[in-house]
Amino acid sequence: MWYFHADHHQPKYANVFERNDIFFVIFALPSMVLFYFGVEGGINYLFFIGLGITFYGFCYFMIHDVLIHQRFKWFKKTNNKYLIGLRKAHKVHHKHLGKEHGECFGMLFVPFKYYKI
């Protein structure tokens, strides 16, 4: 999956979209299929699995694309320690331009050391 994620680690993006955005499609397709079969004959467990995937995608978009990378300038001036900690942890994740020596930054939960201002 590094092929899709690699351009995301480059300092500047040549386009509005990057290959990393394909993960939206990779997660959206099974979610839609699960929604379809999850409402057939009444709501069943497949619907809720699809809902979980959708909820994760929404959180990823809001945290990663909006808050951290600020692809949309909605929460640019936050003073919240938790949100600042998420941004600091993600900067560590982007410290390396290649996949070697990369660090997982978590998404919603990061080590407490990043919450110190």
Side-chain angles (χ1 to χ4, degrees):
M1 298 312 239
W2 178 252
Y3 171 78
F4 297 121
H5 191 64
D7 70 332
H8 177 69
H9 280 258
Q10 300 310 309
K12 297 286 180 187
Y13 309 122
N15 302 306
V16 173
F17 294 104
E18 50 192 64
R19 283 193 312 259
N20 190 62
D21 293 330
I22 194 70
F23 288 110
F24 168 79
V25 176
I26 290 171
F27 284 100
L29 290 175
S31 182
M32 290 187 295
V33 170
L34 288 164
F35 278 134
Y36 178 81
F37 289 109
V39 296
E40 192 173 29
I43 293 179
N44 62 42
Y45 71 96
L46 296 175
F47 173 84
F48 294 102
I49 295 171
L51 191 61
I53 294 170
T54 300
F55 182 68
Y56 174 83
F58 176 76
C59 289
Y60 183 88
F61 170 74
M62 291 301 293
I63 297 296
H64 185 264
D65 290 340
V66 174
L67 177 74
I68 294 173
H69 286 287
Q70 298 181 356
R71 290 174 78 176
F72 301 89
K73 310 294 186 210
W74 298 340
F75 303 106
K76 191 167 181 148
K77 296 180 181 180
T78 182
N79 291 328
N80 183 287
K81 288 182 182 183
Y82 170 71
L83 299 179
I84 292 169
L86 286 176
R87 292 196 73 201
K88 285 181 182 178
H90 199 77
K91 285 182 182 181
V92 171
H93 170 72
H94 276 270
K95 184 169 67 173
H96 303 284
L97 297 180
K99 66 180 178 178
E100 292 78 23
H101 311 292
E103 295 186 37
C104 177
F105 70 96
M107 185 170 99
L108 298 177
F109 303 104
V110 296
F112 288 112
K113 67 182 180 181
Y114 296 112
Y115 298 125
K116 298 175 185 167
I117 294 181

